[in-house]
Amino acid sequence: MIERILPSGVVSSESFGDPAQVRLHPREALVVRDAVESRRREFATGRWCARRSLAELGLPPDPLLPGPRGAPRWPDSVVGSITHCVGYRAAAVARSERISMIGIDAEPHSALPEGILETVSLREERLWVRQLGRSAPGTHWDRLLFSLKEAVYKAWSPATARPLGFEDARITVDPAAATFEAHLLVPSPLLRHGRPLHRLRGRWLISGGLVLCAIAEPAGADLPSGQPPSAAGPLGIAT
Ligand SMILES: CC(C)(COP(=O)(O)OP(=O)(O)OC[C@H]1O[C@@H](n2cnc3c(N)ncnc32)[C@H](O)[C@@H]1OP(=O)(O)O)[C@@H](O)C(=O)NCCC(=O)NCCS
């Protein structure tokens, strides 16, 4: 499913269970040595997905160890992202000469637990979550918003080595196109054509009881940066 929301140049692999043949490299096994079984399984299957994708790029099955902030240390000249939730694991990778940042996230398509929306959203975002909840009640917009923010963080964090709080990006959505923009509300150290990066764009898919979100920024993309975040319409929906 995830390949449906990723651009060409990105190779992905997914799994709806934890295949018995999945094996961790001994150095990876050390990372989750003291973890509970469910954590070991998601970690291992995420890496199995990643290795399958890396093999498509012609890369060997080397260990994928976590870096200081938790993101996998990808081989030189590769960017990527891993996600897992109950019943789903996926990885997406690309050559950095084609794609500069990847962030993917999967969540169960269900309402967020009580009180979480308020802690992960801005007032403008809660507005569109509530309005779309009335006009399109088949979608759990609160869960989608949460997942979009997780995908933003996964793209941002390895590229910048900087924190990004839930209040540091404002998400707008185009529900008809199932696309979104994340307007970065903090200064970015990343440049596009000599200008700071102001926003990230991506797509989502809701299918099979899952919410899948993906950002894959083309390397050298001519982003229309410099536009203020207020470019969104009254619903917070991108215009
Ligand atoms: C890192 C984070 C996004 C992962 O969320 P999660 O619900 O555990 O997401 P998933 O289970 O789908 O993915 C976990 C995978 O993300 C990857 N990951 C972990 N930290 C990461 C980071 N800093 N950057 C990129 N990827 C990261 C890892 O591959 C991890 O799997 P693994 O440990 O098995 O390798 C979350 O724990 C977090 O810190 N969120 C707060 C920051 C945030 O979301 N800010 C919002 C900005 S708008």
Side-chain angles (χ1 to χ4, degrees), residues 6 22 38 51 55 64 72 89 110 128 177 181-182 189 192 206 208 211 232:
L6 288 164
V22 168
S38 55
R51 270 193 266 284
L64 282 173
R89 288 85 168 83
S110 56
W128 65 250
E181 293 190 2
R192 283 282 184 278
I206 297 177
V211 176

Side-chain angles (χ1 to χ4, degrees), residues 39 42-43 47 66 69-72 81-85 104-107 146 149-155 157-158 164-169 171:
R39 169 65 184 138
E42 67 178 20
F43 182 86
R47 271 151 177 78
R69 283 165 296 278
S81 183
I82 291 176
T83 185
H84 31 62
C85 70
I104 62 170
D105 192 69
E107 293 281 328
F146 177 73
K149 290 202 161 188
E150 299 270 77
V152 168
Y153 181 74
K154 289 182 185 181
S157 170
L164 191 74
F166 286 101
E167 69 290 357
D168 293 335
I171 306 287

Side-chain angles (χ1 to χ4, degrees), residues 30-222:
L30 275 180
V31 175
V32 285
R33 184 184 46 193
D34 299 324
V36 295
E37 178 62 18
S38 55
R39 169 65 184 138
R40 284 208 299 272
R41 281 208 227 109
E42 67 178 20
F43 182 86
T45 309
R47 271 151 177 78
W48 180 70
C49 291
R51 270 193 266 284
R52 289 202 300 178
S53 299
L54 290 169
E56 280 193 53
L57 292 182
L59 291 159
D62 291 336
L64 282 173
L65 300 174
R69 283 165 296 278
R73 286 182 203 270
W74 299 102
D76 286 349
S77 77
V78 168
V79 292
S81 183
I82 291 176
T83 185
H84 31 62
C85 70
V86 173
Y88 188 76
R89 288 85 168 83
V93 300
R95 294 278 183 188
S96 51
E97 71 208 17
R98 288 195 67 182
I99 302 288
S100 60
M101 304 163 80
I102 298 182
I104 62 170
D105 192 69
E107 293 281 328
H109 184 218
S110 56
L112 284 176
E114 191 75 27
I116 298 295
L117 177 64
E118 287 66 27
T119 66
V120 301
S121 61
L122 300 170
R123 194 188 57 79
E124 306 96 295
E125 295 168 333
R126 287 194 291 281
L127 202 61
W128 65 250
V129 163
R130 293 197 178 111
Q131 292 188 354
L132 286 170
R134 283 193 289 273
S135 60
T139 295
H140 292 287
W141 298 98
D142 55 346
R143 181 69 73 167
L144 175 70
L145 174 64
F146 177 73
S147 188
L148 296 175
K149 290 202 161 188
E150 299 270 77
V152 168
Y153 181 74
K154 289 182 185 181
W156 166 274
S157 170
T160 64
R162 290 191 183 180
L164 191 74
F166 286 101
E167 69 290 357
D168 293 335
R170 187 170 63 80
I171 306 287
T172 58
V173 294
D174 179 340
T179 59
F180 70 97
E181 293 190 2
H183 306 266
L184 300 167
L185 307 178
V186 290
S188 166
L190 300 176
L191 295 179
R192 283 282 184 278
H193 298 277
R195 294 174 297 174
L197 176 68
H198 287 294
R199 60 182 171 173
L200 296 170
R201 293 190 264 211
R203 301 177 63 193
W204 80 77
L205 173 70
I206 297 177
S207 182
L210 296 167
V211 176
L212 303 182
C213 301
I215 292 170
E217 280 293 324
D222 195 8

